[in-house]
Amino acid sequence: SDPEPSIYGSAGEEAFSVSGVVNKVQDAVVVINVTIHGTSAFGKPMTSTGAGSGVIISPEGYILTCHHVVEGASSVQVTLRNHDVYDAILVGSDETSDLAVLKISVDEQLTYVEQGHSANLVAGEQVVSIGNPLGTLGGSVTVGYISATERNVITGDGTEMTLIQTDAAINSGNSGGGLFNLSGELIGIVNAKYSASGVEGLAFAIPIDSAYPVQLDLM
């Protein structure tokens, strides 16, 4: 259910420190590596690889990430914070929302995130991003603020989306990672940044209120 909105934002008055947020959620953020098999223009087999991030959303091993991270993948591997590596299956993917759900099979119960309410975000609220920038720096933490709660953005493929804007540092490989409030709640899935000469601090995330019904449908 939706809590009462607060002037303090989605975390309310009893916010954690940034290190407290990281301690609570870092084990639930994973590294995703994909392998894509295809054919070259000359008809020869070719293989490419890619990397991104994901967030564990249930103790059974369901993982929320971005559609563009796993699009076209022939195989997907997930690496946990303890460096254990698992083969993942693609449960479902949706190009329009840029969301996908993976699943890994693990014997023990996994740490998973609590999903918050992005509708309660306010401009100026501090947020924490955890992901895998450059595809090689898994578990990296960056901190910023909510720049705008509902920004209409047209992505590189022409898709129009309403996203959270933040100035937290985001780089290639962060896609699919979590954007958390200071209560340690997942309030967004990082999916884009604006890159151009002279541009800094323009990153975007899919609001969790938009992502939640999509993930349920995919599952």
Side-chain angles (χ1 to χ4, degrees):
S1 61
D2 293 332
E4 288 295 320
S6 167
I7 61 171
Y8 300 98
S10 64
E13 294 183 72
E14 302 299 324
F16 295 153
S17 63
V18 171
S19 60
V21 173
V22 174
N23 182 67
K24 180 179 179 180
V25 304
Q26 60 184 344
D27 286 346
V29 181
V30 303
V31 169
I32 296 174
N33 288 287
V34 303
T35 302
I36 302 170
H37 298 298
T39 305
S40 71
F42 302 101
K44 294 184 178 181
M46 58 181 294
T47 300
S48 60
T49 59
S53 309
V55 183
I56 301 172
I57 55 174
S58 83
E60 295 82 20
Y62 286 98
I63 296 168
L64 187 61
T65 186
C66 286
H67 165 82
H68 75 261
V69 170
V70 297
E71 183 178 12
S74 304
S75 63
V76 181
Q77 286 192 322
V78 167
T79 304
L80 305 183
R81 182 169 174 265
N82 63 6
H83 305 297
D84 287 346
V85 180
Y86 297 90
D87 291 325
I89 61 170
L90 178 62
V91 175
S93 190
D94 178 59
E95 183 177 6
T96 301
S97 64
D98 194 23
L99 291 167
V101 174
L102 306 173
K103 190 176 189 301
I104 57 174
S105 296
V106 183
D107 293 334
E108 71 271 14
Q109 181 170 302
L110 293 165
T111 300
Y112 64 99
V113 297
E114 177 183 353
Q115 300 186 50
H117 291 274
S118 53
N120 292 336
L121 292 167
V122 296
E125 181 175 347
Q126 193 169 33
V127 288
V128 178
S129 173
I130 305 179
N132 180 33
L134 308 184
T136 58
L137 301 172
S140 293
V141 177
T142 57
V143 180
Y145 295 89
I146 296 296
S147 304
T149 58
E150 296 182 350
R151 185 71 76 193
N152 292 326
V153 175
I154 299 177
T155 61
D157 63 2
T159 303
E160 186 172 347
M161 306 182 74
T162 300
L163 303 174
I164 300 166
Q165 180 186 337
T166 177
D167 67 347
I170 299 298
N171 291 282
S172 173
N174 274 109
S175 289
L179 191 68
F180 301 92
N181 65 15
L182 289 191
S183 285
E185 297 171 332
L186 180 69
I187 49 82
I189 296 295
V190 174
N191 76 324
K193 67 172 292 185
Y194 190 90
S195 297
S197 177
V199 176
E200 297 180 4
L202 286 178
F204 301 93
I206 303 165
I208 200 61
D209 290 357
S210 300
Y212 188 70
V214 176
Q215 78 184 44
L216 291 181
D217 187 49
L218 293 175
M219 291 165 67

